[in-house]
Amino acid sequence: MRSIEGLRKLNSYGYGMPDSGLYLDLVYNPLGAFLPPPQAALEDKYKEELERDWGIHFNGLYTITNMPIKRFADFLHGREELDAYMKLLVDSFNPKAAEGVMCRNHLSVGWDGHIYDCDFNQQIQLHMPHLVGDAKEGDNKPKVGDLNSLDELLDTKIALGSH
């Protein structure tokens, strides 16, 4: 109920309301060893039901696929679902979807100023490869202060791991 109250409050300030210019996007995060449903259909359903049942408006809905790292990996492992979920991810890989991943146009910054090319990499402390060694002496993990401009990151390859 707190989520509904929060969305209603944001709507009262104009967020998500038609023609307000104040955007409100929601995120759907599946809870379990399965993939989210198609984003467009889910957005239409959420818009219909939230407006009908609660009078809530929003601009867009993003579905995300959980990466099996940290607590989610532990959860899947405890339920003996980790291997099956990894297979599902591999079998469902969509190269077209990879073009829109956050790592391509967002940065994550840790509480200590270290920078990462996505929040998944931040969680597992996987630093941006081209900057390792470029940081100030004594710390090969790049920090925000090590950059003179974000332009330094334009042609950076995304750090990859088993996640």
Side-chain angles (χ1 to χ4, degrees), residues 2-18:
R2 288 179 44 192
S3 296
I4 295 295
E5 292 170 9
L7 291 171
R8 284 178 146 168
K9 186 164 201 138
L10 288 168
N11 277 173
S12 75
Y13 293 130
Y15 288 93
M17 301 305 290

Side-chain angles (χ1 to χ4, degrees), residues 99-135:
E99 294 174 10
V101 295
M102 291 186 333
C103 310
R104 298 177 63 92
N105 56 22
H106 286 77
L107 283 179
S108 288
V109 180
W111 64 270
D112 55 3
H114 287 114
I115 58 174
Y116 305 86
D117 51 20
C118 78
D119 59 341
F120 295 123
N121 288 348
Q122 180 181 354
Q123 290 300 310
I124 61 171
Q125 302 292 299
L126 182 59
H127 295 272
M128 300 174 76
H130 87 291
L131 293 174
V132 172
D134 293 344

Side-chain angles (χ1 to χ4, degrees), residues 79-107:
R79 295 175 57 133
E80 298 182 1
E81 295 176 343
L82 182 59
D83 290 339
Y85 186 67
M86 287 299 293
K87 182 176 180 345
L88 175 64
L89 291 177
V90 169
D91 291 348
S92 303
F93 178 71
N94 177 355
K96 274 298 224 198
E99 294 174 10
V101 295
M102 291 186 333
C103 310
R104 298 177 63 92
N105 56 22
H106 286 77
L107 283 179

Side-chain angles (χ1 to χ4, degrees), residues 30-115:
L31 300 173
F34 53 90
L35 300 178
Q39 184 169 294
L42 192 63
E43 178 178 317
D44 290 344
K45 187 75 169 160
Y46 268 57
K47 281 187 174 184
E48 175 189 321
E49 290 188 17
L50 286 174
E51 184 175 359
R52 182 191 65 225
D53 297 346
W54 304 99
I56 291 173
H57 298 269
F58 65 94
N59 299 93
L61 179 120
Y62 295 97
T63 59
I64 63 172
T65 300
N66 284 317
M67 297 303 297
I69 58 175
K70 301 274 187 171
R71 286 187 308 224
F72 188 55
D74 293 342
F75 168 78
L76 293 174
H77 181 72
R79 295 175 57 133
E80 298 182 1
E81 295 176 343
L82 182 59
D83 290 339
Y85 186 67
M86 287 299 293
K87 182 176 180 345
L88 175 64
L89 291 177
V90 169
D91 291 348
S92 303
F93 178 71
N94 177 355
K96 274 298 224 198
E99 294 174 10
V101 295
M102 291 186 333
C103 310
R104 298 177 63 92
N105 56 22
H106 286 77
L107 283 179
S108 288
V109 180
W111 64 270
D112 55 3
H114 287 114
I115 58 174

